[in-house]
Amino acid sequence: MRVLRCIAAVALLLAAAGAVFVYSGVYDVSATDQHLFPTYWTIRATMERSVAVRARRVEVPPLDDVRVRRGVGLYREHCLRCHGAPGVAPEPFALGMTPVPENLAYVAKTWSAAEVYWTVRNGLKMTAMPAWQYRLGDDAMWDVVAFVKQLPSLSPEEYEAMRELGPPERERQPGAGDARRGRQAIQQYACVTCHAIPGVVGSQAPVGPSLARIATRGFIAGVLPNSAENMELWLIAPQDVKPGTAMPDLDMSPHDAKDIAAYLATLN
Amino acid sequence: MAPALRGLIVVLALAGCERLPDREPLTGGDPKHGRSLIREFGCGSCHRISGVPGANASVAPPLEKLKSRVYLAGRFANTPQNLVAWIHDPRAMDSQTAMPAVGVDEQQARDIAAYLYTR
C-alpha cells in the first residue's frame, strides 16, 4: 500500500514538474537556439532507430542506370533546394531550419537504400522533411533513391553533366478509391489548415466550410452536384470548376483525389 | 422520461431561454427578428442552422460559426456588408451559385445576418 502511495506521489510530482516546464515557457523553441548535445543525440538516435526498424520490411527493386537517370530530374525538382547536391548549396531558407537538412552524399554512404526510401516515402516528424508518397508515385520515389545512392560517387562536374537530363513526368496510378489511404492523404495535403474534417486532427481553421457530413451535401462549393466523380473533379481542379474560389488547386493526382473522395463519402 | 426531458429542453429553447441580444454590433441588425425571418424564408430547407427548429437540411453548407469564417460562399471576404448582400441577392454576386435569391430585402437580410453572426 505504501509503495503504491509512493509511486503515485512521484508520478504526481513528475506531472506537476512537466506542467510547470510546459506552462512556464522556459523551453526555447526558436530555431536558432541549438539543442544541448544530449537532446540532439536522443532525437537523432531515436530517428535513426525508428527508420532502421521500419525499413526492414521494405523490398528494394533493382536500382539500375535507367532509374538513376530518371532520378536526377526528380531530385533537382524536389530535394535540391533543401539538401543541396555535389557543388550546390541548399537554398538560404533551408539553412535556417532546425534540424538542418543533412548532406545526402554523406547520408547515402551510411544508410541503406531501404532506409532512404522509407524516409522519402514517410517523411520525418518534427523536421522539415516532407513525406513524398502523396506527391511522387512509388516508381518515382525509387528513382530518387537510386540517384541519392549514387551521390557519394559523383563529383560536382559529373553532377553538372547529369543535370541536363530533364525532369520526367509525374507518376499517375489508376486504382479504386481507398478511404483509409484517403484519410492519410487528407493529412498530407494539409486540408485541415482550411477545413474542419471529422476524423482528421489539425487546426481545423474555418477558411473553408466544415466537411462534417459532406457526403450528404447537395452541392459541392454551391455549384457542382455532389457525386463521386464531381468530388474528384473538384479536388483536382477547384479553380476550373469555380474560377475565383478561395480553395486553391493543390496539384493533386487523380489517384489521391479518388482516395480522398472515398474518405469524404464516409462522412454522412 | 428521457424524451419528456428532451422535449422540455426543446420547449425552453424555443421559448427564447437562449438569450439573444437586441442588436448585433457588426451588422446593426436584430437577431431575434432574424431568426423568425429565417424560418419564414425557409433557409432551413437547404441549410443546417443551430437554434432554428427544423433547419437541418444539408443541401448547402451548415451556417454554424459563420462569424469566425474567413470567406463567404468560398469567394468573398466574410464582412457584414458581403453577408447582407449575399442573403439579399446571391446570384448578383455569383451567377453560378446554386443558392437562389429568395426575396429577402436589405433590412431583413441585415436581421438575418445579425442572427447568423450570433451562432
Side-chain angles (χ1 to χ4, degrees), chain A residues 92-115:
Chain A
F93 74 84
L95 299 176
M97 292 172 180
T98 301
V100 71
E102 301 283 336
N103 186 315
L104 294 184
Y106 173 66
V107 172
K109 273 189 160 175
T110 47
W111 284 35
S112 70
E115 288 169 336

PDB file of all heavy atoms in Angstrom, chain A residues 92-115:
ATOM      1  N   PRO A  92      19.010  29.412 -49.047  1.00  0.00           N
ATOM      2  CA  PRO A  92      19.136  30.053 -47.729  1.00  0.00           C
ATOM      3  C   PRO A  92      18.066  29.617 -46.735  1.00  0.00           C
ATOM      4  O   PRO A  92      18.363  29.378 -45.566  1.00  0.00           O
ATOM      5  CB  PRO A  92      18.991  31.537 -48.054  1.00  0.00           C
ATOM      6  CG  PRO A  92      19.435  31.656 -49.461  1.00  0.00           C
ATOM      7  CD  PRO A  92      19.066  30.383 -50.135  1.00  0.00           C
ATOM      8  N   PHE A  93      16.820  29.476 -47.165  1.00  0.00           N
ATOM      9  CA  PHE A  93      15.772  29.144 -46.196  1.00  0.00           C
ATOM     10  C   PHE A  93      16.040  27.799 -45.529  1.00  0.00           C
ATOM     11  O   PHE A  93      15.730  27.585 -44.371  1.00  0.00           O
ATOM     12  CB  PHE A  93      14.382  29.175 -46.844  1.00  0.00           C
ATOM     13  CG  PHE A  93      14.080  28.015 -47.737  1.00  0.00           C
ATOM     14  CD1 PHE A  93      13.603  26.833 -47.212  1.00  0.00           C
ATOM     15  CD2 PHE A  93      14.262  28.099 -49.117  1.00  0.00           C
ATOM     16  CE1 PHE A  93      13.318  25.750 -48.029  1.00  0.00           C
ATOM     17  CE2 PHE A  93      13.989  27.030 -49.937  1.00  0.00           C
ATOM     18  CZ  PHE A  93      13.511  25.851 -49.396  1.00  0.00           C
ATOM     19  N   ALA A  94      16.661  26.870 -46.304  1.00  0.00           N
ATOM     20  CA  ALA A  94      16.915  25.540 -45.762  1.00  0.00           C
ATOM     21  C   ALA A  94      17.995  25.595 -44.684  1.00  0.00           C
ATOM     22  O   ALA A  94      17.981  24.832 -43.719  1.00  0.00           O
ATOM     23  CB  ALA A  94      17.321  24.579 -46.868  1.00  0.00           C
ATOM     24  N   LEU A  95      18.909  26.539 -44.849  1.00  0.00           N
ATOM     25  CA  LEU A  95      19.986  26.647 -43.864  1.00  0.00           C
ATOM     26  C   LEU A  95      19.465  27.181 -42.538  1.00  0.00           C
ATOM     27  O   LEU A  95      20.117  27.062 -41.519  1.00  0.00           O
ATOM     28  CB  LEU A  95      21.093  27.553 -44.414  1.00  0.00           C
ATOM     29  CG  LEU A  95      21.713  27.008 -45.705  1.00  0.00           C
ATOM     30  CD1 LEU A  95      22.736  27.977 -46.272  1.00  0.00           C
ATOM     31  CD2 LEU A  95      22.353  25.649 -45.477  1.00  0.00           C
ATOM     32  N   GLY A  96      18.274  27.774 -42.562  1.00  0.00           N
ATOM     33  CA  GLY A  96      17.701  28.308 -41.327  1.00  0.00           C
ATOM     34  C   GLY A  96      16.864  27.296 -40.565  1.00  0.00           C
ATOM     35  O   GLY A  96      16.224  27.628 -39.586  1.00  0.00           O
ATOM     36  N   MET A  97      16.828  26.054 -41.049  1.00  0.00           N
ATOM     37  CA  MET A  97      15.977  25.058 -40.383  1.00  0.00           C
ATOM     38  C   MET A  97      16.708  24.366 -39.239  1.00  0.00           C
ATOM     39  O   MET A  97      17.912  24.195 -39.278  1.00  0.00           O
ATOM     40  CB  MET A  97      15.568  23.972 -41.384  1.00  0.00           C
ATOM     41  CG  MET A  97      14.632  24.438 -42.469  1.00  0.00           C
ATOM     42  SD  MET A  97      14.412  23.133 -43.702  1.00  0.00           S
ATOM     43  CE  MET A  97      13.291  23.986 -44.819  1.00  0.00           C
ATOM     44  N   THR A  98      15.943  23.961 -38.219  1.00  0.00           N
ATOM     45  CA  THR A  98      16.467  23.102 -37.160  1.00  0.00           C
ATOM     46  C   THR A  98      15.548  21.900 -37.028  1.00  0.00           C
ATOM     47  O   THR A  98      14.370  22.101 -36.730  1.00  0.00           O
ATOM     48  CB  THR A  98      16.521  23.840 -35.807  1.00  0.00           C
ATOM     49  OG1 THR A  98      17.356  24.981 -35.964  1.00  0.00           O
ATOM     50  CG2 THR A  98      17.071  22.951 -34.719  1.00  0.00           C
ATOM     51  N   PRO A  99      15.974  20.673 -37.278  1.00  0.00           N
ATOM     52  CA  PRO A  99      17.315  20.301 -37.721  1.00  0.00           C
ATOM     53  C   PRO A  99      17.547  20.721 -39.174  1.00  0.00           C
ATOM     54  O   PRO A  99      16.623  20.765 -39.962  1.00  0.00           O
ATOM     55  CB  PRO A  99      17.305  18.776 -37.603  1.00  0.00           C
ATOM     56  CG  PRO A  99      15.875  18.395 -37.771  1.00  0.00           C
ATOM     57  CD  PRO A  99      15.088  19.504 -37.154  1.00  0.00           C
ATOM     58  N   VAL A 100      18.784  20.998 -39.459  1.00  0.00           N
ATOM     59  CA  VAL A 100      19.133  21.429 -40.810  1.00  0.00           C
ATOM     60  C   VAL A 100      19.184  20.187 -41.705  1.00  0.00           C
ATOM     61  O   VAL A 100      19.588  19.110 -41.267  1.00  0.00           O
ATOM     62  CB  VAL A 100      20.481  22.182 -40.759  1.00  0.00           C
ATOM     63  CG1 VAL A 100      21.625  21.238 -40.496  1.00  0.00           C
ATOM     64  CG2 VAL A 100      20.709  23.007 -42.012  1.00  0.00           C
ATOM     65  N   PRO A 101      18.697  20.273 -42.962  1.00  0.00           N
ATOM     66  CA  PRO A 101      18.711  19.102 -43.844  1.00  0.00           C
ATOM     67  C   PRO A 101      20.147  18.601 -44.056  1.00  0.00           C
ATOM     68  O   PRO A 101      21.034  19.397 -44.360  1.00  0.00           O
ATOM     69  CB  PRO A 101      18.111  19.631 -45.152  1.00  0.00           C
ATOM     70  CG  PRO A 101      17.361  20.863 -44.771  1.00  0.00           C
ATOM     71  CD  PRO A 101      18.066  21.443 -43.593  1.00  0.00           C
ATOM     72  N   GLU A 102      20.341  17.308 -43.881  1.00  0.00           N
ATOM     73  CA  GLU A 102      21.687  16.746 -43.996  1.00  0.00           C
ATOM     74  C   GLU A 102      22.159  16.743 -45.445  1.00  0.00           C
ATOM     75  O   GLU A 102      21.359  16.747 -46.370  1.00  0.00           O
ATOM     76  CB  GLU A 102      21.678  15.301 -43.489  1.00  0.00           C
ATOM     77  CG  GLU A 102      21.237  15.133 -42.057  1.00  0.00           C
ATOM     78  CD  GLU A 102      22.331  15.523 -41.080  1.00  0.00           C
ATOM     79  OE1 GLU A 102      23.514  15.490 -41.456  1.00  0.00           O
ATOM     80  OE2 GLU A 102      21.993  15.862 -39.936  1.00  0.00           O
ATOM     81  N   ASN A 103      23.499  16.689 -45.587  1.00  0.00           N
ATOM     82  CA  ASN A 103      24.078  16.482 -46.905  1.00  0.00           C
ATOM     83  C   ASN A 103      23.881  15.009 -47.279  1.00  0.00           C
ATOM     84  O   ASN A 103      24.412  14.113 -46.631  1.00  0.00           O
ATOM     85  CB  ASN A 103      25.568  16.821 -46.865  1.00  0.00           C
ATOM     86  CG  ASN A 103      26.168  16.753 -48.239  1.00  0.00           C
ATOM     87  OD1 ASN A 103      25.925  15.826 -49.002  1.00  0.00           O
ATOM     88  ND2 ASN A 103      26.963  17.756 -48.570  1.00  0.00           N
ATOM     89  N   LEU A 104      23.132  14.765 -48.339  1.00  0.00           N
ATOM     90  CA  LEU A 104      22.740  13.384 -48.635  1.00  0.00           C
ATOM     91  C   LEU A 104      23.877  12.555 -49.223  1.00  0.00           C
ATOM     92  O   LEU A 104      23.817  11.330 -49.245  1.00  0.00           O
ATOM     93  CB  LEU A 104      21.523  13.360 -49.551  1.00  0.00           C
ATOM     94  CG  LEU A 104      20.231  13.916 -48.924  1.00  0.00           C
ATOM     95  CD1 LEU A 104      19.063  13.766 -49.885  1.00  0.00           C
ATOM     96  CD2 LEU A 104      19.909  13.242 -47.601  1.00  0.00           C
ATOM     97  N   ALA A 105      24.918  13.231 -49.714  1.00  0.00           N
ATOM     98  CA  ALA A 105      26.065  12.473 -50.208  1.00  0.00           C
ATOM     99  C   ALA A 105      26.669  11.681 -49.052  1.00  0.00           C
ATOM    100  O   ALA A 105      27.126  10.560 -49.226  1.00  0.00           O
ATOM    101  CB  ALA A 105      27.099  13.405 -50.818  1.00  0.00           C
ATOM    102  N   TYR A 106      26.611  12.269 -47.863  1.00  0.00           N
ATOM    103  CA  TYR A 106      27.124  11.561 -46.695  1.00  0.00           C
ATOM    104  C   TYR A 106      26.122  10.517 -46.217  1.00  0.00           C
ATOM    105  O   TYR A 106      26.478   9.365 -45.937  1.00  0.00           O
ATOM    106  CB  TYR A 106      27.450  12.545 -45.577  1.00  0.00           C
ATOM    107  CG  TYR A 106      27.822  11.831 -44.308  1.00  0.00           C
ATOM    108  CD1 TYR A 106      28.988  11.072 -44.239  1.00  0.00           C
ATOM    109  CD2 TYR A 106      26.998  11.871 -43.192  1.00  0.00           C
ATOM    110  CE1 TYR A 106      29.322  10.387 -43.087  1.00  0.00           C
ATOM    111  CE2 TYR A 106      27.327  11.190 -42.045  1.00  0.00           C
ATOM    112  CZ  TYR A 106      28.485  10.455 -41.984  1.00  0.00           C
ATOM    113  OH  TYR A 106      28.812   9.766 -40.862  1.00  0.00           O
ATOM    114  N   VAL A 107      24.852  10.928 -46.142  1.00  0.00           N
ATOM    115  CA  VAL A 107      23.817  10.004 -45.661  1.00  0.00           C
ATOM    116  C   VAL A 107      23.787   8.730 -46.520  1.00  0.00           C
ATOM    117  O   VAL A 107      23.681   7.616 -46.011  1.00  0.00           O
ATOM    118  CB  VAL A 107      22.435  10.687 -45.685  1.00  0.00           C
ATOM    119  CG1 VAL A 107      21.328   9.693 -45.382  1.00  0.00           C
ATOM    120  CG2 VAL A 107      22.410  11.842 -44.688  1.00  0.00           C
ATOM    121  N   ALA A 108      23.925   8.918 -47.845  1.00  0.00           N
ATOM    122  CA  ALA A 108      23.813   7.774 -48.756  1.00  0.00           C
ATOM    123  C   ALA A 108      24.894   6.730 -48.497  1.00  0.00           C
ATOM    124  O   ALA A 108      24.741   5.567 -48.841  1.00  0.00           O
ATOM    125  CB  ALA A 108      23.877   8.259 -50.205  1.00  0.00           C
ATOM    126  N   LYS A 109      26.000   7.169 -47.946  1.00  0.00           N
ATOM    127  CA  LYS A 109      27.076   6.217 -47.648  1.00  0.00           C
ATOM    128  C   LYS A 109      26.711   5.308 -46.501  1.00  0.00           C
ATOM    129  O   LYS A 109      27.071   4.141 -46.485  1.00  0.00           O
ATOM    130  CB  LYS A 109      28.338   6.989 -47.228  1.00  0.00           C
ATOM    131  CG  LYS A 109      29.190   7.409 -48.383  1.00  0.00           C
ATOM    132  CD  LYS A 109      30.503   7.956 -47.836  1.00  0.00           C
ATOM    133  CE  LYS A 109      31.517   7.923 -48.942  1.00  0.00           C
ATOM    134  NZ  LYS A 109      32.772   8.518 -48.606  1.00  0.00           N
ATOM    135  N   THR A 110      26.052   5.888 -45.506  1.00  0.00           N
ATOM    136  CA  THR A 110      25.818   5.134 -44.279  1.00  0.00           C
ATOM    137  C   THR A 110      24.422   4.511 -44.222  1.00  0.00           C
ATOM    138  O   THR A 110      24.192   3.577 -43.462  1.00  0.00           O
ATOM    139  CB  THR A 110      26.003   6.039 -43.052  1.00  0.00           C
ATOM    140  OG1 THR A 110      25.292   7.252 -43.281  1.00  0.00           O
ATOM    141  CG2 THR A 110      27.467   6.377 -42.861  1.00  0.00           C
ATOM    142  N   TRP A 111      23.485   5.024 -44.990  1.00  0.00           N
ATOM    143  CA  TRP A 111      22.120   4.499 -44.941  1.00  0.00           C
ATOM    144  C   TRP A 111      21.889   3.539 -46.096  1.00  0.00           C
ATOM    145  O   TRP A 111      22.358   3.773 -47.213  1.00  0.00           O
ATOM    146  CB  TRP A 111      21.096   5.640 -45.040  1.00  0.00           C
ATOM    147  CG  TRP A 111      20.938   6.442 -43.790  1.00  0.00           C
ATOM    148  CD1 TRP A 111      21.919   6.748 -42.896  1.00  0.00           C
ATOM    149  CD2 TRP A 111      19.740   7.050 -43.307  1.00  0.00           C
ATOM    150  NE1 TRP A 111      21.402   7.521 -41.881  1.00  0.00           N
ATOM    151  CE2 TRP A 111      20.064   7.714 -42.120  1.00  0.00           C
ATOM    152  CE3 TRP A 111      18.426   7.094 -43.767  1.00  0.00           C
ATOM    153  CZ2 TRP A 111      19.120   8.419 -41.376  1.00  0.00           C
ATOM    154  CZ3 TRP A 111      17.488   7.794 -43.046  1.00  0.00           C
ATOM    155  CH2 TRP A 111      17.834   8.446 -41.848  1.00  0.00           C
ATOM    156  N   SER A 112      21.088   2.492 -45.840  1.00  0.00           N
ATOM    157  CA  SER A 112      20.736   1.565 -46.913  1.00  0.00           C
ATOM    158  C   SER A 112      19.686   2.205 -47.819  1.00  0.00           C
ATOM    159  O   SER A 112      19.011   3.171 -47.426  1.00  0.00           O
ATOM    160  CB  SER A 112      20.178   0.274 -46.327  1.00  0.00           C
ATOM    161  OG  SER A 112      18.906   0.536 -45.758  1.00  0.00           O
ATOM    162  N   ALA A 113      19.554   1.641 -49.026  1.00  0.00           N
ATOM    163  CA  ALA A 113      18.540   2.142 -49.960  1.00  0.00           C
ATOM    164  C   ALA A 113      17.155   2.059 -49.326  1.00  0.00           C
ATOM    165  O   ALA A 113      16.326   2.961 -49.484  1.00  0.00           O
ATOM    166  CB  ALA A 113      18.584   1.351 -51.262  1.00  0.00           C
ATOM    167  N   ALA A 114      16.911   0.966 -48.594  1.00  0.00           N
ATOM    168  CA  ALA A 114      15.594   0.794 -47.964  1.00  0.00           C
ATOM    169  C   ALA A 114      15.323   1.912 -46.959  1.00  0.00           C
ATOM    170  O   ALA A 114      14.209   2.434 -46.872  1.00  0.00           O
ATOM    171  CB  ALA A 114      15.522  -0.565 -47.269  1.00  0.00           C
ATOM    172  N   GLU A 115      16.356   2.314 -46.214  1.00  0.00           N
ATOM    173  CA  GLU A 115      16.172   3.375 -45.214  1.00  0.00           C
ATOM    174  C   GLU A 115      15.917   4.726 -45.875  1.00  0.00           C
ATOM    175  O   GLU A 115      15.068   5.502 -45.440  1.00  0.00           O
ATOM    176  CB  GLU A 115      17.403   3.446 -44.302  1.00  0.00           C
ATOM    177  CG  GLU A 115      17.487   2.267 -43.343  1.00  0.00           C
ATOM    178  CD  GLU A 115      18.822   2.181 -42.623  1.00  0.00           C
ATOM    179  OE1 GLU A 115      19.832   2.711 -43.142  1.00  0.00           O
ATOM    180  OE2 GLU A 115      18.863   1.582 -41.541  1.00  0.00           O
TER     181      GLU A 115
END
